[in-house]
Amino acid sequence: MENQMKHRILKLKTEKNAVILAHYYAPSEVQEIADHVGDSFYLAKIAKQSTADIIVFCGVSFMGESAKILNPEKKVLMPDLSADCPMAHMVAPGKVEEMRGKYDDLAVVCYVNSTAELKGMSDVCVTSSNAVEIVRSLPNKNIFFIPDRNLGRYVAEQVPEKNVILNDGCCPIHTAIDVNELKEEKKKHPKALVLSHPECEGDILSLSDYIGSTAEIISYANQSAVSEFIICTEEGVAFKLNSDNPNKQFYFPRTRACCPDMKLNTLEKLYKALETEENEVRVEEGARKVALAPLDKMLELAR
Ligand code: 13P
Ligand code: SF4
């Protein structure tokens, strides 16, 4: 049944000159069928370079929106338009203007996990794989980092020469990872290295051997001579970690971090989206133009 559905999707994809992009948190059967699977930065770059007529983005709305902002002439579809990232909305109205009023040289740095409107209020976008590098490269001393306080705090620690002002947003999935459960895993697997996403709380990050984006976590595990790891991020990364490293062991804190929005990307919905072309991501042209500059600046500044 699953294979039949995959076959139908691939056939339709070829007929329509579509490309399927999937984030590492999408269900494994969707990652299996995608043309490109990656972290937010990689997928944004691929979306920008794509020559397909249709981009089907199996992720959450800020990812589909970014693809549309970068490719206004292309049709961007999502299997489920309601797949959203709660953190993308976590900046209080008026907060950016308030901060701009307080500091003359302020740079508003916006994690891509944000709405098009928030991107449009910012100077530059970043993802978890380039935030440190981009903040370090800015001429501004004062940085208002939105919306994620945890990535913001991690960046502040890595770039102590800047005054990074934090905003009180966070990922409800990563912040639910329990430090006591991590300690239990560490006790059970004393040789394992802890690899964590910077969206986790500080107590998790301080027990981590490596901190990086989803793609960076995977690449670290692939290259490491160590064979056991405890992973503090959403469980979807297990698919790639296990398929790349059949002889390595990956453990997760007992309560698995699972992003329900990412799991809305089912094969059935992917097929329907391609067939009907109904689930189109739309960004109003004025808002798109304003949000394009900070996204383009990220692509220019990140190596
Ligand atoms: P990455 O850019 O590391 O893939 O992270 C995206 C995300 O939503 C993490 O929760
Ligand atoms: Fe958003 Fe967290 Fe889900 Fe990532 S894991 S998409 S940050 S809710």
Side-chain angles (χ1 to χ4, degrees), residues 23 25 39-41 62-63 111 113 128 174 197 199 213-214:
H23 188 266
Y25 299 161
D39 67 2
S40 311
F41 182 55
F62 76 81
M63 298 178 177
Y111 188 24
N113 294 40
S128 52
H174 283 82
H197 197 279
E199 286 176 15
S213 76
T214 51

Side-chain angles (χ1 to χ4, degrees), residues 206-222:
S206 63
L207 293 177
S208 302
D209 298 288
Y210 178 75
I211 297 163
S213 76
T214 51
E216 288 171 329
I217 287 174
I218 292 163
S219 143
Y220 186 94
N222 290 0

